[in-house]
Amino acid sequence: MLLDALPQAKVLVTSRTRLRLRSEQVFDVDPLGVPAEPEGTALREILSAPAVRLFRDRAKAADPTFEVTDDNAREVAGICRALDGVPLAIELAAIRVRALTPAAMLERLDRALPLLGTGARDVPERQRTIRATVEWSVDLLGAEAQALFTRIGVFTGAFSLDAAEAVASGAPWAPDLLEAVLELVDGSLLRRHDHAGVPFYSMLVPVREVATDRFEHETDVEAVRRAHADHYVRLAVEIEPRLRGATQVAALDRLETERDNIRSGYRHLIAIGAAEAVVDAVWRVLLYWWIRNQLPEAKAWMEDVLAAGARLTDRTRAIALAISGWVSLLQPGAGIDPAAIEESADLFHAAGDAFGEACALTVLSTMRTWGSPPDLDLAESLQRRAIGLVPAELDPTFNAFFRASLGTIELYRGHPDAALAAAEEVVADAGRIGDRFVEAVALTNCGWSRLALGEGRPDLFVRALELSLELGFEDGTGYELEGLAACAAMSGDLDRSGMLLGAAEASRTRTGMGDRRASLTQAPFVRQVLASEGAARFEAARDAGRALPRSEALALAMEARPDG
């Protein structure tokens, strides 16, 4: 009535929900910005995040002696990340510094809500704990929205509308799902954000904990968990072809957005004895696990499946053996049994899976290449068989990888010209098919071949680094830092070389992965420097590089950019 009487009036309103009035313009107040992954991040970068500054200010109000220092900054950053930057949650956590160190607080945030309460008497009862605030908001919802809120407690991270439809299937309110979703969004219990045109919904940590607790009391909890897991198996089937070529980055980002739900769904299937579906799904999106540095987790699942002793189809067992063996090959110190990979190749062959057989043969070829002593003739024979099984017209991405492996064998033979020719051919093919991952790997091989020819080409490693960063390929970052360190050593810049090599070693520590080509690539340059008068200087720079924040290491690496 007031707005009808005063049509020119403007009213500023803060509210838990939208008012749903004509001409209403809504401005959603987002959570505070949180730091990037705190590992390897400098103190000043952590302190620049608004969420950290709020924590610091509220903690100092509770304990004037409190400061964010090098000793506790990563824990404070972890607290702010765990609480999604929610101001009220951060304030309630910060006052706990009177009783807990940031490290102890972070340990207890596995279950956030019991920690987040206040005894203050000058706030409404519903705001004295985060739980009370969320529960109050949920109780104000309509019946359908409340039922949906409980059902989406099955999700452990962001989810799409398709995923919500999958877990709501069969519920009497499912036909009105979209209206219920909108009510949750309007009530600030769901947040919407888009990825490549696909709407996703997420809950802040305190809200998700309430939804999870309510879901545990659902009468059909097991059926919903299975529907949730089955949805993410189907997602792997749908997205598999988009992980190759020009659609690669968008597909990687899509899977990354749904990673938490993929994990929880697949773990559930393994727990209830439905591992066949998980193994197939992991295999279909193998490029995701590889590029986004999740291979150790995929390996752990495969080992759980193999250790369970359940009867598996030949193809399922072949996949589990291939993934487990391949990842072990990339993990320093991990043992690998050639017989297991040979069995994998035989099982793939028996199942008529040419792609799987080619992958297993490539793992065997790599084992023979990296062996001590290497058997390069056998490695080449195995790799050529793999290429014949997966021609370029069938799968240009993996055919390119298999041909790149032939180039590595040539490098081991001491034929850098042949290795360079193979790598440059793959780079050209990568550009033609628009596959950034293939291009990054092949550019790295070009850089190593040039070094073997006595020519430092930092521009090749910088371009590969740019692609690795675009893809989120942390292992690639390690390769490129190693290559740039070798280029710097070749040019006599020991400080730069040591810093970059130390940063590469820190990257390897983060991923737990390595590559035995290092014995052929940067290791000779390192040995040469360590045998020189500059050894102490080099080692000091190397130590500094290991401690260098990741952002600073990348900035140092990019100084080799041709235009810079």
Side-chain angles (χ1 to χ4, degrees), residues 124-416:
E125 180 63 33
R126 66 175 184 270
Q127 292 181 8
R128 291 189 185 178
T129 68
I130 290 288
R131 177 182 291 278
T133 302
V134 175
E135 294 279 10
W136 171 73
S137 296
V138 174
D139 290 342
L140 293 176
L141 297 171
E144 291 80 6
Q146 284 195 38
L148 174 61
F149 180 80
T150 298
R151 186 69 62 94
I152 61 177
V154 70
F155 292 110
T156 51
F159 57 91
S160 65
L161 188 60
D162 287 346
E165 289 173 341
V167 302
S169 180
W173 42 267
D176 298 321
L177 176 70
L178 187 56
E179 282 300 316
V181 168
L182 291 174
E183 188 173 347
L184 292 177
V185 171
D186 286 348
S188 302
L189 294 166
L190 278 184
R191 302 166 63 206
R192 178 190 159 184
H193 44 96
D194 296 343
H195 283 276
V198 178
F200 280 87
Y201 303 91
S202 61
M203 294 176 279
L204 297 171
V205 169
V207 177
R208 187 167 65 244
E209 286 199 15
V210 172
T212 300
D213 287 346
R214 290 192 173 208
F215 173 70
E216 295 297 339
H217 295 91
E218 268 270 48
T219 55
D220 52 354
V221 62
E222 290 306 314
V224 175
R225 286 195 192 282
R226 183 59 190 261
H228 168 269
D230 286 346
H231 170 78
Y232 291 103
V233 168
R234 291 193 298 273
L235 177 64
V237 175
E238 294 167 6
I239 210 163
E240 177 186 10
R242 301 206 296 272
L243 284 167
R244 293 161 167 81
T247 58
Q248 188 173 72
V249 174
L252 290 168
D253 289 343
R254 170 71 186 271
L255 289 171
E256 190 73 20
T257 300
E258 307 209 52
R259 181 183 63 186
D260 291 339
N261 284 301
I262 290 171
R263 282 173 166 166
S264 61
Y266 291 2
R267 287 184 189 128
H268 178 69
L269 289 174
I270 292 173
I272 64 174
E276 301 263 0
V278 174
V279 173
D280 179 71
V282 170
W283 187 243
R284 287 178 181 276
V285 295
L286 183 63
L287 283 170
Y288 166 73
W289 304 107
W290 185 4
I291 296 170
R292 289 296 168 93
N293 318 298
Q294 306 296 322
L295 283 176
E297 183 170 14
K299 174 192 173 186
W301 290 347
M302 298 304 104
E303 292 180 340
D304 287 346
V305 170
L306 292 168
R311 182 172 178 78
L312 303 171
T313 66
D314 285 352
R315 182 174 178 275
T316 298
R317 180 170 174 80
I319 293 170
L321 288 171
I323 292 177
S324 180
W326 177 45
V327 180
S328 294
L329 194 61
L330 298 173
Q331 291 177 312
I336 178 171
D337 181 5
I341 308 303
E342 291 168 355
E343 180 188 354
S344 173
D346 290 342
L347 290 172
F348 275 126
H349 182 79
D353 188 332
F355 172 76
E357 184 180 357
C359 289
L361 290 173
T362 297
V363 176
L364 280 173
S365 174
T366 304
M367 289 178 63
R368 299 307 181 189
T369 303
W370 292 356
S372 182
D375 187 341
L376 299 179
D377 289 339
L378 179 56
E380 181 177 347
S381 174
L382 291 166
Q383 197 60 65
R384 290 195 182 279
R385 281 174 57 193
I387 293 170
L389 287 167
V390 183
E393 59 269 21
L394 181 66
D395 189 331
T397 291
F398 274 86
N399 177 271
F401 283 132
F402 298 157
R403 287 186 288 116
S405 293
L406 276 183
T408 298
I409 293 170
E410 291 294 345
L411 201 59
Y412 269 80
R413 288 189 188 280
H415 301 159

Side-chain angles (χ1 to χ4, degrees), residues 54 83 85-94 116 118 126-130 133:
L54 176 63
L83 296 176
V86 177
L88 178 57
I90 290 170
E91 291 193 21
L92 294 175
L116 304 180
T118 177
R126 66 175 184 270
Q127 292 181 8
R128 291 189 185 178
T129 68
I130 290 288
T133 302

